Amino acid sequence: MTDYSEEQRNELEALESIYPDSFTVLSENPTTFTITVTSEAGENDETVQTTLKFTYREKYPDETPLYEIVSQENLEDNDVTDILKLLEQQAEENLGMVMIFTLVSAVQEKLNEIVDQIKTRREEEKKQKEREAEEEEKQRFHGTPVTIENFLNWKAKFDAELLEIKRKKMKEEEQAGKTKLSGKQLFEMDHNLDTSDIQFLEEAGNSVEVDESLFQEMDDLELEDEEDDPDYNPVNLDSD
């Protein structure tokens, strides 16, 4: 007859020796304990971690232990699901033997794989960004290849912008034409414009100065005698 209590007690002692810093007994009846599992450090010293809680059933190891994840760090939801599936698989495969160390070791390997996947994902993201940057640089120097479709799109946009510019210009010219007044319009607005020069002279009075040097004595002017003019013809005068 199998002594389940003895097997469970012996396994607990072994686990405490193997995981001195991460093994914690929560209760003795039923026997419940936790083991914290941490991955190896990744490229940038990042790690993933989970704390597993195990509870012995009465007939363990002929019955699978109860297990659950009570905490985790840096794990996605799908990672947690995968770990639980892994524990279920390993428990069924090792039924009849003490298995906690085997289960924890399987989870340890899984966590290391997850860290490697994180590294691979980051490298792929970095390469993708580099490819996008190279493509953007090519577009900057070589431009976008001209096709019938993108040319027609550009042409329609260009024509629309040109039409808008013409409309604005016509509107501005129309506005300018409305505000510019002709001489007739100015006169109709102010009838005093026709006498403004005379009014100015009247108001100035004797203060208007005339430069007499601008005028010459009539006797000093050399006027040609009409008879000396070779084109002079008295007949033409009579005909007028």
Side-chain angles (χ1 to χ4, degrees), residues 2-136:
T2 304
D3 189 348
Y4 297 114
S5 297
E6 181 68 19
E7 288 196 34
Q8 293 172 14
R9 188 165 48 252
N10 291 337
E11 184 180 40
L12 285 175
E13 291 178 358
L15 291 173
E16 187 175 6
S17 175
I18 297 171
Y19 307 107
D21 299 325
S22 59
F23 176 82
T24 303
V25 176
L26 301 179
S27 68
E28 294 182 355
N29 189 20
T31 301
T32 304
F33 55 92
T34 60
I35 298 177
T36 299
V37 189
T38 305
S39 69
E40 296 176 356
E43 183 179 22
N44 298 317
D45 292 332
E46 71 272 4
T47 59
V48 292
Q49 178 178 288
T50 184
T51 297
L52 307 173
K53 177 182 177 182
F54 297 98
T55 301
Y56 285 152
R57 291 180 178 177
E58 183 180 355
K59 295 183 179 181
Y60 172 84
D62 287 340
E63 291 179 324
T64 60
L66 300 176
Y67 51 82
E68 61 180 300
I69 294 176
V70 294
S71 66
Q72 57 86 15
E73 292 182 9
N74 302 325
L75 291 175
E76 303 290 340
D77 291 341
N78 60 313
D79 295 329
V80 174
T81 301
D82 291 343
I83 291 173
L84 291 174
K85 289 181 179 179
L86 177 62
L87 287 170
E88 180 182 6
Q89 176 190 348
Q90 291 294 318
E92 292 294 334
E93 291 179 359
N94 291 277
L95 191 62
M97 300 179 290
V98 290
M99 64 181 75
I100 302 301
F101 175 76
T102 302
L103 299 182
V104 172
S105 297
V107 172
Q108 178 80 60
E109 292 181 4
K110 181 64 177 178
L111 296 183
N112 291 339
E113 290 178 5
I114 293 172
V115 169
D116 291 339
Q117 291 171 1
I118 292 174
K119 176 184 176 182
T120 302
R121 184 168 61 248
R122 288 179 177 175
E123 289 177 349
E124 286 298 323
E125 291 175 353
K126 181 180 179 181
K127 290 180 181 178
Q128 179 64 25
K129 289 182 179 179
E130 290 175 351
R131 286 193 293 267
E132 291 176 356
E134 290 177 359
E135 186 63 25
E136 184 178 348

